[in-house]
Amino acid sequence: MLLEVRDLKKHFPVGSGLLRASGAVRAVDGVSFSVDVGETFALVGESGCGKTTIARMVLMLERPTAGAILFDGKDLAGMSGAGLKAYRRQVQAVFQDPYASLNPRLRVRTIIAEPILAHERSGRAALRRRVEEVLDVVGLPAAAADLFPHEFSGGQRQRIAIARALAVNPRCIVLDEPISALDVSIRAQVLNLLADIQERFRLTYLIIAHDLALVEHFSTRVGVMYLGNMVEAGPTDAVFDRPRHPYTQALLASVPRPDPDHQPPLDAIRGEIASAMAPPSGCKFHPRCPRAIDRCAVEVPAWRSLGRDHAGACHLAEGA
């Protein structure tokens, strides 16, 4: 087990007056999952469900309100100094927008070299070789190192961002919507590149996505998020072939199909998502669930097994 998240919570206080908090946004409200070495775990769900907040906590850009994140068996909360620096080297990120994540004032050589210089002493010749090595890995020529980000297409910029993440030989990469800002014509190229890199370097991926077609093609396991909670998780083929939670079923039913005779169930999910400041009682999805019963409004569903490595939190879901 490389990465483990235990009952993770992140609540953002909301103030109503000077130095006074009136409540909290429960962005993440008790999420647990684990990611093995070499696999791709995807977090999916509507905007605002908490998946990006989880990614930010894994990257230590946000501190958890409660719960724990363990990497290689070590709790991030207890890390400092050399241990913290080693963790930051082993866990890198590729962000959604390659137009915003690369400094436009720096040449590609400097952009890729920055994380190397932050983590190790390196001579000029060795640094140049390493930059050219990772550019070759992502399919860009060595001459690209002397250019600025604006001289590249969106797909090429994302390749540069991937090269920057690879520069310090990480073990895990957090991918936050890695292809959503790219043209459709080059998304498959970037995904194939990420798959090739993962196999070559035995990398572990934590991917944040709302594109279910991407998740089905690219991930090993998937966790479905709703309003700060995980409602279903398991191997990707199991979740996609036999979804048990009504929210997962509705998400998959909403995926467009290349069939002119297919009529999507537009009423599968009713109403609007509730506020994370005042979530519904019981199952948070029950106000919008077409199958909800009285029990759903008052009792929080327990997390339970739905089959081999497949689990969920729904009163109506049955085990295998």
Side-chain angles (χ1 to χ4, degrees), residues 7-202:
D7 197 25
L8 194 64
K9 298 181 181 180
K10 181 61 180 180
H11 298 172
F12 294 97
V14 177
S16 61
L18 184 63
L19 301 179
R20 183 176 63 186
S22 64
V25 174
R26 300 182 178 187
V28 179
D29 203 23
V31 171
S32 300
F33 64 87
S34 59
V35 190
D36 288 327
V37 174
E39 80 168 347
T40 299
F41 187 87
L43 287 174
V44 303
E46 292 174 280
S47 296
C49 68
K51 54 189 186 294
T52 295
T53 302
I54 291 176
R56 290 179 62 83
M57 287 189 282
V58 170
L59 291 169
M60 298 194 76
L61 300 176
E62 298 280 358
R63 293 284 183 178
T65 302
I69 301 173
L70 285 76
F71 187 81
D72 226 0
K74 298 178 181 177
D75 193 337
L76 268 59
M79 290 184 179
S80 62
L84 180 58
K85 187 174 183 179
Y87 173 77
R88 292 191 183 279
R89 177 173 187 159
Q90 293 179 84
V91 180
Q92 294 290 306
V94 175
F95 298 101
Q96 176 178 359
D97 186 359
Y99 295 90
S101 64
L102 303 178
N103 191 330
R105 297 178 180 272
L106 301 180
R107 296 184 188 273
V108 168
R109 184 183 308 281
T110 306
I111 290 172
I112 297 175
E114 275 189 319
I116 302 173
L117 294 173
H119 290 283
E120 64 184 58
R121 293 182 179 180
S122 183
R124 183 173 297 181
L127 195 62
R128 177 181 290 271
R129 284 196 302 272
R130 182 58 183 160
V131 169
E132 292 177 354
E133 284 174 5
V134 292
L135 283 174
D136 181 64
V137 168
V138 299
L140 292 175
D146 296 318
L147 303 178
F148 289 94
H150 73 267
E151 298 179 81
F152 296 91
S153 67
Q156 290 172 324
R157 292 188 198 195
Q158 198 65 307
R159 288 173 184 264
I160 294 168
I162 295 169
R164 176 176 59 185
L166 291 173
V168 290
N169 296 311
R171 299 174 65 192
C172 176
I173 297 181
V174 177
L175 302 166
D176 188 1
E177 302 278 8
I179 63 169
S180 63
L182 305 180
D183 292 341
V184 174
S185 59
I186 58 174
R187 289 182 180 183
Q189 297 176 22
V190 174
L191 279 183
N192 289 336
L193 171 64
L194 288 169
D196 290 343
I197 289 172
Q198 182 177 38
E199 183 177 359
R200 178 175 175 180
F201 299 106
R202 207 181 177 217

